[in-house]
Amino acid sequence: MKTFHKLITYTCIGGLVIASGCSKSFLDVPPQGQQTPTDFFSSNADAATSLVNAIYSKMVDWNFHSFSWNGLTSIASDDADKGSSPGDTGTDKDQLDNFTFTPSSISFNEVWGGQYEAIARANQALDNLPALTINDTLKNRLIGEASFLRAYCYFNLVRSFGGVPLIVKVADPTNASDIQQGRVRATTAQVYTQIETDLATAVANLPEKSQYNAADLGRATKGAAKALLAKVSMYEKKWNVVLQLTDEIIASGQYSLQPNYGELWRESSENGVESIFEIQGRGVTPNKGVQGYFESQGARGENGWGWGFNTPSENLVKAYETGDTRKDGTIIQRGMTLWDGRVVSPNAENPYYNMKAYVSFTRETNNGDTWETSKNVRILRYAEVLLMNAEAANELGQPTKALTALNQVRTRARGGLATALPNVTTTAQAGLQQAIWNERRVELAFEHDRYFDLVRQGRAAAIYQALGKNFVAGKHEVFPIPQPQIQLSGGQLTQNPGY
């Protein structure tokens, strides 16, 4: 059941919030660049909350976490192929699949725009919240939420593009310095420092998951802030920080592994025991789901339900060990009978589809709209905390501790079959590192990490080139700065090397 309705009942176009088909009162968020009079919110806790809700609302839009984001994070990885029909390129998804993209490829500009639109909303909130006279507990929590969400957006940007413009306040259109800030790139290190600062604020201000009311499940929590900071620190190879934060999350008792891996992707498990942070979808009237997430990845062709993009690769299929329940929990195959009784046609256009994007229209909440469904997108969950803990422990020379965390994840994956997926036992650092990396792949497939994992592990060029991809070392570790953004900056935004 959806409990987090307040976060997803409106959207923003050009900085203006507009309502559609809903009787709820909506907050008008002023256009970017205009200051909000503080006294408008000073005695209105609902209006102040709506400043932050507007950030969450942006996260279900088409250009934030849907088709183009799947292109960058999945189709560009070895976990997925473009899919669909051979002649249907998805505008540029064939280019992402084969590393033939250019700065003008549309997906980059869509992802860039979506993240910065959310950042603009976070800046609106963070500029105005500190001065309000609302209850301090609520105020601090809202500051923590906005800080977390801004950090998440900048993490997506820095992993994708490297250094990007660092905008942390609403720009004053009469201030040349403010305008210039959006036209030049900060360094990668500067962006990571800002992310860490925002997440430290979030950790200090957010409650634990168990301290939220049921109606607020899905909001950012202290555990989510710690998990994201641990993940950011993993990319920076700050292994002591990763280990400390993941140890704290494990010791908090706030999370546990969902016993059945395949059930993780169903509505019944959303915001459940393993959930640390999810983008909330709502498939009832009025819809406010992740636009096109279900439909763009659904089975294509005879008796299908979607466009058929972002399909599991044969290379991923072969990565699962015998008896690993995560294979069927991740991959829909031709001719398969799904958990709700739906039969996938043996004549479907592609051999495989993404189970994690599937919505049952007979067993889950929906109003028949295939464009905006009830599907939540999982961003952080407890299994990844355990795998980060294992990786950090191994890097710090603590193999026994690493094995404990790693084998918890494998125990769930074997689904109670004693003969399947034996525990990893090696204590050799290199061998254990490879085992943890393999586990991340099969555990987190289609959760938007594989491309970035290969880059941070230093393995991208070797793996892609072995698959015959056009990956160029020293170039494709980051994507190009979108050409439209360079043009908007008057040429001041510099392009990444090789593009």
Side-chain angles (χ1 to χ4, degrees):
M1 296 293 292
K2 294 295 169 191
T3 59
F4 196 23
H5 295 173
K6 288 184 179 179
L7 300 189
I8 47 182
T9 51
Y10 49 84
T11 188
C12 177
I13 298 176
L16 294 174
V17 173
I18 55 176
S20 176
C22 183
S23 60
K24 180 180 171 63
S25 296
F26 295 94
L27 174 69
D28 289 330
V29 178
Q32 296 175 23
Q34 292 189 11
Q35 296 289 346
T36 304
T38 301
D39 59 2
F40 180 78
F41 304 102
S42 61
S43 61
N44 190 332
D46 286 342
T49 301
S50 293
L51 273 174
V52 176
N53 291 354
I55 317 168
Y56 289 100
S57 181
K58 177 62 203 174
M59 299 173 82
V60 300
D61 284 354
W62 171 253
N63 68 347
F64 189 91
H65 218 300
S66 191
F67 198 33
S68 290
W69 185 241
N70 281 333
L72 271 64
T73 60
S74 287
I75 295 174
S77 80
D78 58 340
D79 278 357
D81 297 322
K82 172 187 74 70
S84 189
S85 300
D88 190 347
T89 65
T91 308
D92 63 354
K93 303 308 177 288
D94 57 329
Q95 299 169 20
L96 289 162
D97 200 4
N98 295 306
F99 286 88
T100 57
F101 47 76
T102 72
S104 297
S105 298
I106 192 172
S107 290
F108 305 122
N109 199 48
E110 285 197 344
V111 167
W112 181 286
Q115 302 297 318
Y116 273 110
E117 287 166 21
I119 288 168
R121 299 186 188 193
N123 289 342
Q124 285 276 7
L126 291 168
D127 275 10
N128 286 283
L129 287 168
L132 305 191
T133 57
I134 61 172
N135 175 273
D136 282 345
T137 300
L138 174 62
K139 180 198 297 188
N140 290 336
R141 194 200 81 198
L142 293 173
I143 289 171
E145 289 182 65
S147 298
F148 171 86
L149 296 171
R150 183 168 70 181
Y152 174 66
C153 293
Y154 272 121
F155 186 46
N156 289 339
L157 286 167
V158 75
R159 289 189 295 170
S160 299
F161 303 107
V164 295
L166 197 53
I167 305 168
V168 293
K169 65 176 183 176
V170 177
D172 178 351
T174 67
N175 187 316
S177 177
D178 282 5
I179 300 303
Q180 184 66 8
Q181 196 76 20
R183 293 175 174 169
V184 295
R185 299 175 67 176
T187 66
T188 297
Q190 288 170 331
V191 177
Y192 271 111
T193 296
Q194 182 60 49
I195 293 169
E196 291 173 343
T197 298
D198 278 345
L199 290 175
T201 299
V203 169
N205 285 278
L206 289 172
E208 294 284 9
K209 181 179 179 179
S210 62
Q211 295 174 310
Y212 272 113
N213 295 324
D216 284 322
L217 283 180
R219 290 186 181 274
T221 64
K222 188 181 297 292
K226 286 183 176 182
L228 185 56
L229 183 55
K231 191 165 184 172
V232 168
S233 300
M234 179 175 69
Y235 277 73
E236 298 179 284
K237 301 188 185 304
K238 296 180 178 179
W239 297 113
N240 282 309
V241 177
V242 179
L243 192 64
Q244 177 183 336
L245 288 167
T246 53
D247 276 347
E248 289 175 5
I249 296 168
I250 292 167
S252 74
Q254 295 287 312
Y255 310 98
S256 61
L257 293 176
Q258 167 76 26
N260 186 316
Y261 183 86
E263 292 179 1
L264 266 171
W265 323 110
R266 303 179 194 174
E267 184 179 36
S268 58
S269 297
E270 290 177 348
N271 305 315
V273 296
E274 188 164 340
S275 171
I276 296 180
F277 186 68
E278 303 178 12
I279 293 177
Q280 306 292 307
R282 183 174 180 227
V284 297
T285 304
N287 283 54
K288 196 55 186 167
V290 182
Q291 294 176 345
Y293 191 83
F294 163 82
E295 189 164 330
S296 65
Q297 298 181 77
R300 185 180 181 108
E302 183 180 318
N303 299 322
W305 57 89
W307 305 353
F309 284 94
N310 196 31
T311 57
S313 66
E314 194 67 40
N315 187 267
L316 173 64
V317 173
K318 293 177 180 177
Y320 292 93
E321 300 170 64
T322 301
D324 192 336
T325 62
R326 292 173 295 196
K327 183 176 180 181
D328 284 346
T330 303
I331 299 171
I332 294 172
Q333 301 186 52
R334 285 179 181 144
M336 176 185 281
T337 300
L338 304 183
W339 63 271
D340 59 352
R342 184 176 211 156
V343 178
V344 184
S345 172
N347 299 315
E349 191 151 353
N350 309 103
Y352 310 112
Y353 297 98
N354 178 11
M355 181 73 83
K356 295 180 181 181
Y358 180 70
V359 176
S360 172
F361 276 67
T362 59
R363 302 277 295 278
E364 295 180 311
T365 303
N366 70 89
N367 67 358
D369 187 335
T370 60
W371 188 248
E372 294 186 56
T373 69
S374 60
K375 174 62 67 176
N376 281 10
V377 179
R378 278 64 169 173
I379 304 300
L380 294 165
R381 54 188 181 86
Y382 186 60
E384 185 176 12
V385 168
L386 291 172
L387 292 176
M388 288 193 291
N389 186 266
E391 189 166 350
N394 184 54
E395 293 291 336
L396 295 170
Q398 302 177 45
T400 301
K401 182 178 178 68
L403 286 170
T404 297
L406 172 63
N407 285 322
Q408 284 186 58
V409 177
R410 288 179 66 80
T411 297
R412 191 260 301 274
R414 59 176 168 253
L417 299 176
T419 58
L421 286 184
N423 283 347
V424 174
T425 58
T426 182
T427 57
Q429 190 175 54
L432 184 50
Q433 180 187 66
Q434 187 63 55
I436 294 166
W437 287 350
N438 291 344
E439 206 69 25
R440 278 190 67 86
R441 184 184 191 186
V442 293
E443 177 69 30
L444 302 175
F446 291 94
E447 294 179 58
H448 311 287
D449 277 316
R450 177 63 174 175
Y451 166 83
F452 300 126
D453 268 347
L454 291 177
V455 170
R456 75 171 177 85
Q457 293 161 1
R459 301 191 295 155
I463 285 178
Y464 283 120
Q465 289 168 8
L467 292 170
K469 304 284 187 180
N470 298 303
F471 189 100
V472 177
K475 174 182 178 180
H476 287 131
E477 288 82 3
V478 288
F479 296 116
I481 302 298
Q483 189 61 34
Q485 301 302 322
I486 293 176
Q487 293 168 343
L488 285 170
S489 75
Q492 294 185 73
L493 274 177
T494 57
Q495 186 53 270
N496 283 323
Y499 294 106

